[in-house]
Amino acid sequence: MNEIGRPDPDKLLAQLKKEEIKNKKGSFRIFFGMCPGVGKTYAMLGAAQEQYRIGKKILVGVVETHGRIETEKMLEGLTLIPQRSVSYRNKIIFELDIDKILEIRPDIVLIDELAHTNAPGSRHNKRYQDVIEILDAGISVYTTLNVQHIESRADIVQQITGIQVRETVPDSLWDLADQVELIDISPQELIKRLKDGKVYLGDRALRAEENFFKEAYLIALREISLRFTAEKVDHDLQGHLSIKQLSSPWNTNERLMVAVSHSPHSAKLIRSARRMAFSLEAPWIAIHIDNGIILNPFDQSTLLQNMNLAQELGAELISLYDSDVVAALNRVALEKNVTQIILGRPERRTFKTLLNKLIQNTQFVDIHIIRQEKDSAELKNKRIFSVSADAFTNGPVPYFHTLYFLAFVTLVSYFLNPFLGYRAIGFIYLMAVIVIGFRSTLGPILFSAFSGGLIWNYIFIPPVFTFNISETEDKMMSIAFLLIGILSGFLARKTKTKEKLLILRENKTHILFDLLKDFSSAMSIQALCNLAEKNIQNLFNAPIKILIANEKNLISRKTINTGDISSKEFALALWSFDNKKPAGWSTQTLSESRCMSMPLIVPGKVLGIILFYPELKNNLTIEEKNLLNSICIQLGNAIEHLMLQEQKQDIKLLQESEKLHQTLLNSISHEMRIPLTSIMGSVSALQDTNVQNDPKKINILNTELLDSCERLNSVIENILDMNRLNSGLLTLKKEWVEVADVIESVISQIKLKGHKIELIEKSSKVYLSCDERLLEHALMNLFFNAIAYSHNSSTITVEIERLYKKILINVLDEGLGIPNDKLALIFDKFYRLPGSPTGGVGLGLSIVKGIVEAHNGTIYAHNRIDKQGTIFTIELPWLELPVKLGEI
């Protein structure tokens, strides 16, 4: 338990780490506005000019002026770096040159439009990721951002304007910002600027006025931006207060806190706090402190109702364990910068003492005492029973145990009395009371103190076996025994209560730690839900059903773990999903339902619903409900993390697909244009009457036509083969062939122009079970590759060898060889070595690999040692030749 005024060490450490990280990075300044046209870029350039005049090195990375003359004038004197050009879909797109910025290393770099999405092929998918890398390098960044591009506010903006925002930045980016400067103008002034052509020009301005730039929309966006900026400032202030370890809050803004207990009068306190918070337009907190008192079912139910009421009225709920209520209230008030605390007027003196202590220790916080009505007779009976339940324990069993223990102590003391004396025996009874204080509640403690005193007096204090005490000193000792015994028992009980609270905290922390560890190892949403179901079943002995929203942010009746749910349960889940609040059993909404619906909320959206089916005979305690809520929060965060990973992977695959698509189009268009151009030229020439009368020219043109058609056919065959390999439609028609015969057949089909192919059989009569046509196609591509990369008149050697259970086919060329770092890339689709000769789309070796692997083989390449060149090795499995085939 923390002492009064002592900050939470975990929060303090987190804030110090955050400050340490910021100190290592460049400063980050965001010029923030409600929408385009408010003057963010102009303000950013103005701030940059101020820094430039005092000698700072300013670099303009990206600034979008949109043709505004006054904005363009603000660029005068600043250094602009050329943007990097990226080719995408036959268009040239200019992007931020991050490498140039890191090379120049200015003091400040200006980067406009933080939420911009980079063109495919860029280092990062988003511009804000470029900014993070620049900040990590120690370079300061000035940037601009609109409120609709904040991830948690995008849905709200879409609901207001009906316009879907596709480019967003995560809210966590705000934690990196050292300064957020709000650029604010009235909606009327902004609309006037739009009409004057100072925001957009031409048709774009007309479209903006008809859609986004409506006064009602702009008013709403302005409020959202103002509130979001205020939250950022408030969050930063609380961080500074944690580091400074102040003994009192800073009253920069009113913040209320109401103490909630199991008293029926707490509902009135909560409503009063809501009214005061509404009048002050201030946030408010409802806090419950569990000080170890055991509540009866009536009080537990009342406490849950009070907590639900506070949540429905918009309070931030805080529940914690602490035996010192005053210290806990004061600590939370300091951490949350609370300015006003709301309490009920106490009726008992003990609570009045507690109130006085709170007033003394919160000198800089206003405390409001709300009048309470007196309890009815029925309510008093329930309240008295509630106190007695904790004080005297249900049933006589603890009193019998106490009596047996005192009897045992008496028996031991009777034999020790001759050696120790009756006064020392009193200390033995005093220790017995302390032991009972550690083991029992208030009733047994009082019983043991009075019973122990009477037994000591009757049996041991002279005159024995009477209650008379002759010596004044012994009378004082008896009175002291009684007082010290009661006090020691109370202190022991308080120590035990603190120990119990610490154990509860540790158990909850251990449960959440194990759950987070399990969640971190889950590789799918199904696995996460199974883990959550298993843990909740073990902790609460209650089943759950989980609904996950789809890509369109809709949920269906089909659960992720147990199938469909009933219509009533689905209606309950829909209400909870739409309103982002718990509903059903033990809540104030649809409370007659069999189950409780709890939304899985992450910043900005609801990912799904958990339907919790409790045992109706048992109500959840406040601790159990808090634990269940914590599990829901952790499950939601884990699902969001997994979804973000999947989205990142999908984006990466999409980028790769776009890259391959573009490469394929470029390669095919180039490869098909060359033979088509030759074909068109030859056909045009054949129409010439002079050519028609010359048989030699006709033969030459026919040869060129045939070569061009063969080249075109080769390209098309490669594309079709690659399509069959990728789709899995390629089926092998295996038959037994002699490898040497297949190779000789391939060599006979190749038109050699200056090259020579030599076949060496290191093992004779090597038979292979394969698809002969596909194997010929693979070898053909391999030979064509060797010819293309070897000089004229070179020799290409083919070796056949059988080694134990493998058949090796080596193709050796006399080319320039392959760089070692490129050997693993040459079998990738569309990959061509730098400086490769014209011709081919980079599919030949990839097709060879696909065909070889379809035969359960492997192919690899390495450079020759004896001379310059490359060796391609195909390894295929060797099988025993069938008997009948071997006899032929």
Side-chain angles (χ1 to χ4, degrees):
M1 183 189 70
N2 291 342
E3 299 174 358
I4 296 177
R6 178 185 175 188
D8 189 313
D10 294 332
K11 292 185 177 181
L12 180 60
L13 181 60
Q15 186 65 26
L16 289 172
K17 286 184 177 179
K18 179 179 173 183
E19 294 293 328
E20 183 181 356
I21 292 173
K22 278 189 175 183
N23 292 334
K24 293 180 180 178
K25 296 175 179 283
S27 63
F28 188 29
R29 186 173 179 181
I30 299 177
F31 293 83
F32 184 61
M34 62 181 175
C35 66
V38 297
K40 302 182 300 298
T41 304
Y42 188 87
M44 178 180 69
L45 292 173
Q49 289 287 356
E50 292 178 2
Q51 297 296 320
Y52 175 71
R53 283 192 287 270
I54 63 175
K56 295 287 186 180
K57 185 178 180 181
I58 310 296
L59 201 64
V60 179
V62 176
V63 167
E64 301 292 345
T65 63
H66 298 289
R68 303 168 191 155
I69 298 175
E70 62 272 18
T71 305
E72 292 178 351
K73 287 183 178 179
M74 295 295 292
L75 288 168
E76 294 178 0
L78 302 180
T79 303
L80 282 73
I81 61 168
Q83 297 184 35
R84 181 175 54 87
S85 61
V86 179
S87 177
Y88 179 65
R89 293 185 178 179
N90 296 326
K91 293 183 180 179
I92 301 299
I93 301 175
F94 294 97
E95 297 289 0
L96 176 69
D97 193 343
I98 184 174
D99 292 321
K100 194 68 175 178
I101 294 172
L102 296 175
E103 178 185 347
I104 298 175
R105 298 192 63 82
D107 296 321
I108 301 171
V109 61
L110 310 183
I111 302 176
D112 210 355
E113 298 184 359
L114 183 62
H116 171 76
T117 300
N118 294 329
S122 301
R123 180 184 306 181
H124 299 121
N125 184 43
K126 295 285 189 177
R127 182 170 289 172
Y128 75 80
Q129 295 170 328
D130 295 336
V131 169
I132 292 175
E133 183 174 349
I134 293 171
L135 290 171
D136 289 338
I139 302 172
S140 299
V141 175
Y142 286 4
T143 189
T144 62
L145 184 66
N146 293 323
V147 69
Q148 68 264 28
H149 297 299
I150 302 295
E151 178 68 38
S152 63
R153 300 305 190 267
D155 291 341
I156 301 175
V157 173
Q158 183 177 354
Q159 291 174 7
I160 294 172
T161 64
I163 299 174
Q164 184 177 6
V165 181
R166 300 185 182 276
E167 294 183 325
T168 60
V169 300
D171 291 50
S172 58
L173 203 66
W174 284 79
D175 293 335
L176 299 177
D178 300 277
Q179 182 178 351
V180 175
E181 187 169 329
L182 178 65
I183 311 302
D184 181 49
I185 64 173
S186 66
Q188 296 81 5
E189 178 65 23
L190 181 57
I191 293 174
K192 182 177 181 300
R193 284 172 54 84
L194 178 66
K195 292 180 178 179
D196 293 341
K198 296 181 179 180
V199 179
Y200 294 124
L201 300 175
D203 295 338
R204 192 177 180 187
L206 295 176
R207 290 195 302 270
E209 188 175 359
E210 293 174 358
N211 296 307
F212 202 80
F213 282 75
K214 293 182 179 180
E215 186 171 350
Y217 294 168
L218 296 177
I219 292 173
L221 291 174
R222 188 186 190 191
E223 181 181 0
I224 294 172
S225 62
L226 288 169
R227 287 185 179 275
F228 195 75
T229 307
E231 290 175 8
K232 163 67 177 173
V233 174
D234 185 67
H235 184 267
D236 290 345
L237 176 61
Q238 290 192 26
H240 286 299
L241 291 178
S242 298
I243 292 179
K244 291 180 179 296
Q245 304 181 26
L246 299 177
S247 59
S248 63
W250 287 358
N251 297 345
T252 56
N253 184 32
E254 295 295 336
R255 183 175 278 101
L256 281 65
M257 182 170 72
V258 58
V260 179
S261 70
H262 53 274
S263 169
H265 302 299
S266 287
K268 181 179 180 181
L269 295 181
I270 293 169
R271 295 188 183 97
S272 299
R274 173 67 180 88
R275 288 194 298 269
M276 295 175 65
F278 181 79
S279 301
L280 296 172
E281 296 184 355
W284 61 297
I285 299 166
I287 181 172
H288 166 67
I289 300 170
D290 187 346
N291 60 351
I293 295 178
I294 301 173
L295 302 180
N296 62 21
F298 173 78
D299 284 341
Q300 287 186 7
S301 176
T302 305
L303 176 60
L304 287 175
Q305 291 176 8
N306 292 337
M307 299 295 283
N308 289 334
L309 176 62
Q311 189 174 31
E312 290 179 358
L313 294 179
E316 176 188 352
L317 287 181
I318 296 178
S319 180
L320 49 88
Y321 303 105
D322 205 319
S323 59
D324 193 332
V325 176
V326 174
L329 288 174
N330 190 65
R331 185 174 67 252
V332 174
L334 288 173
E335 291 176 358
K336 297 293 184 178
N337 204 31
V338 170
T339 59
Q340 301 183 38
I341 298 177
I342 302 170
L343 301 173
R345 176 177 292 172
E347 296 180 358
R348 300 179 179 87
R349 290 183 178 180
T350 54
F351 288 105
K352 290 181 180 179
T353 303
L354 183 146
L355 177 61
N356 292 331
K357 185 179 177 182
L358 179 64
I359 293 174
Q360 292 174 0
N361 289 282
T362 54
Q363 301 177 7
F364 298 93
V365 179
D366 296 332
I367 298 178
H368 299 270
I369 307 299
I370 305 299
R371 177 180 57 84
Q372 297 179 357
E373 299 177 358
K374 292 186 177 180
D375 294 341
S376 63
E378 180 182 359
L379 187 59
K380 275 187 175 182
N381 292 334
K382 292 180 178 179
R383 299 294 297 143
I384 291 172
F385 178 76
S386 174
V387 175
S388 63
D390 177 61
F392 302 102
T393 311
N394 295 326
V397 175
Y399 295 94
F400 283 117
H401 289 167
T402 302
L403 191 60
Y404 295 151
F405 182 66
L406 289 176
F408 173 75
V409 171
T410 301
L411 180 62
V412 173
S413 299
Y414 183 80
F415 289 104
L416 294 177
N417 186 38
F419 305 99
L420 300 179
Y422 69 90
R423 290 177 178 172
I425 295 299
F427 290 101
I428 295 178
Y429 279 97
L430 188 61
M431 288 187 289
V433 173
I434 295 174
V435 171
I436 293 171
F438 276 106
R439 302 289 297 177
S440 191
T441 54
L442 178 61
I445 292 172
L446 296 176
F447 177 73
S448 64
F450 281 102
S451 299
L454 291 175
I455 294 172
W456 180 45
N457 180 17
Y458 186 78
I459 297 178
F460 297 101
I461 298 178
V464 296
F465 301 115
T466 66
F467 291 105
N468 295 325
I469 301 176
S470 57
E471 298 291 336
T472 304
E473 185 179 354
D474 292 339
K475 292 180 180 179
M476 294 301 297
M477 285 190 64
S478 297
I479 296 173
F481 171 85
L482 185 62
L483 294 176
I484 295 174
I486 294 174
L487 180 61
S488 300
F490 273 121
L491 292 176
R493 180 59 188 165
K494 188 174 183 180
T495 303
K496 188 66 177 178
T497 301
K498 290 182 179 181
E499 180 185 356
K500 177 185 174 183
L501 294 177
L502 288 174
I503 291 174
L504 288 174
R505 288 182 185 176
E506 183 180 357
N507 288 340
K508 181 178 179 181
T509 303
H510 184 69
I511 290 170
L512 293 178
F513 175 77
D514 289 342
L515 189 66
L516 284 173
K517 185 171 64 174
D518 292 339
F519 281 171
S520 64
S521 62
M523 301 303 293
S524 66
I525 294 177
Q526 179 70 55
L528 286 174
C529 294
N530 291 340
L531 286 170
E533 182 181 17
K534 177 183 175 182
N535 280 274
I536 291 177
Q537 180 70 40
N538 293 337
L539 290 170
F540 303 99
N541 194 27
I544 63 170
K545 296 179 180 179
I546 303 176
L547 306 173
I548 300 297
N550 58 22
E551 295 178 353
K552 297 181 180 180
N553 202 31
L554 298 173
I555 58 174
S556 65
R557 290 178 57 174
K558 185 173 180 60
T559 66
I560 199 169
N561 54 341
T562 56
D564 294 343
I565 57 176
S566 66
S567 300
K568 291 183 178 180
E569 292 170 344
F570 185 58
L572 177 69
L574 283 178
W575 189 94
S576 186
F577 185 83
D578 293 336
N579 293 274
K580 301 181 180 181
K581 294 180 180 179
W585 175 83
S586 80
T587 69
Q588 300 297 317
T589 305
L590 303 173
S591 57
E592 298 299 321
S593 299
R594 170 69 180 84
C595 60
M596 179 169 61
S597 173
M598 296 174 293
L600 301 175
I601 302 176
V602 297
K605 57 183 176 180
V606 180
L607 297 180
I609 295 293
I610 286 184
L611 296 176
F612 177 77
Y613 296 82
E615 294 184 6
L616 295 180
K617 61 182 179 180
N618 295 327
N619 289 324
L620 293 178
T621 64
I622 189 66
E623 296 84 8
E624 291 174 333
K625 192 170 184 180
N626 288 335
L627 180 59
L628 186 59
N629 288 333
S630 299
I631 293 175
C632 290
I633 292 172
Q634 298 303 332
L635 178 60
N637 292 335
I639 291 176
E640 183 189 33
H641 178 70
L642 200 59
M643 286 181 171
L644 291 175
Q645 284 186 328
E646 292 176 354
Q647 290 176 6
K648 182 179 179 180
Q649 185 65 25
D650 291 342
I651 291 173
K652 184 178 179 180
L653 290 175
L654 181 61
Q655 290 177 340
E656 291 294 328
S657 177
E658 288 284 346
K659 184 178 179 181
L660 289 176
H661 177 72
Q662 187 64 39
T663 304
L664 178 61
L665 288 179
N666 293 338
S667 299
I668 290 177
S669 62
H670 175 73
E671 282 302 306
M672 297 185 74
R673 188 182 298 115
I674 294 175
L676 284 174
T677 302
S678 178
I679 291 172
M680 292 172 62
S682 299
V683 171
S684 298
L686 287 172
Q687 293 176 349
D688 189 348
T689 55
N690 294 329
V691 173
Q692 292 175 358
N693 296 326
D694 190 342
K696 291 183 178 180
K697 291 183 178 180
I698 291 175
N699 289 333
I700 294 173
L701 291 173
N702 285 335
T703 302
E704 291 180 358
L705 277 172
L706 183 61
D707 291 343
S708 298
C709 290
E710 288 179 349
R711 181 171 180 177
L712 190 59
N713 182 63
S714 176
V715 173
I716 295 174
E717 280 190 358
N718 280 338
I719 294 173
L720 293 176
D721 285 340
M722 182 54 63
N723 182 59
R724 286 193 289 268
L725 287 169
N726 288 337
S727 62
L729 298 177
L730 185 68
T731 57
L732 301 181
K733 298 179 181 180
K734 290 188 176 183
E735 56 183 333
W736 285 96
V737 298
E738 187 177 353
V739 179
D741 292 342
V742 177
I743 294 175
E744 288 176 351
S745 174
V746 173
I747 294 173
S748 66
Q749 299 176 44
I750 299 175
K751 296 179 180 179
L752 299 174
K753 297 179 180 179
H755 294 86
K756 178 183 177 182
I757 300 180
E758 180 182 352
L759 176 61
I760 300 175
E761 295 184 63
K762 293 185 176 181
S763 302
S764 61
K765 298 294 182 180
V766 178
Y767 288 91
L768 174 67
S769 176
C770 67
D771 188 315
E772 185 176 3
R773 188 192 68 82
L774 289 177
L775 183 59
E776 285 183 353
H777 187 38
L779 291 170
M780 185 78 72
N781 281 352
L782 206 55
F783 291 160
F784 280 147
N785 180 80
I787 292 171
Y789 287 91
S790 299
H791 57 82
N792 291 334
S793 71
S794 64
T795 300
I796 297 169
T797 305
V798 184
E799 298 176 347
I800 304 173
E801 184 178 6
R802 189 195 124 193
L803 290 176
Y804 189 50
K805 293 290 185 179
K806 292 183 180 180
I807 297 174
L808 304 182
I809 302 175
N810 296 317
V811 178
L812 297 78
D813 63 42
E814 297 178 355
L816 298 176
I818 301 173
N820 291 329
D821 59 334
K822 307 295 183 184
L823 287 172
L825 302 175
I826 59 175
F827 295 102
D828 292 346
K829 300 171 189 175
F830 309 114
Y831 181 81
R832 305 191 71 208
L833 286 173
S836 299
T838 58
V841 295
L843 287 176
L845 291 179
S846 180
I847 291 172
V848 174
K849 181 183 179 184
I851 293 174
V852 171
E853 290 179 348
H855 286 81
N856 297 322
T858 58
I859 182 172
Y860 53 88
H862 55 96
N863 292 309
R864 298 179 66 168
I865 300 175
D866 57 334
K867 61 173 67 175
Q868 195 174 38
T870 306
I871 303 175
F872 287 86
T873 300
I874 297 176
E875 291 186 1
L876 296 170
W878 176 85
L879 297 175
E880 187 72 36
L881 192 66
V883 176
K884 292 184 179 180
L885 188 61
E887 292 175 351
I888 297 176

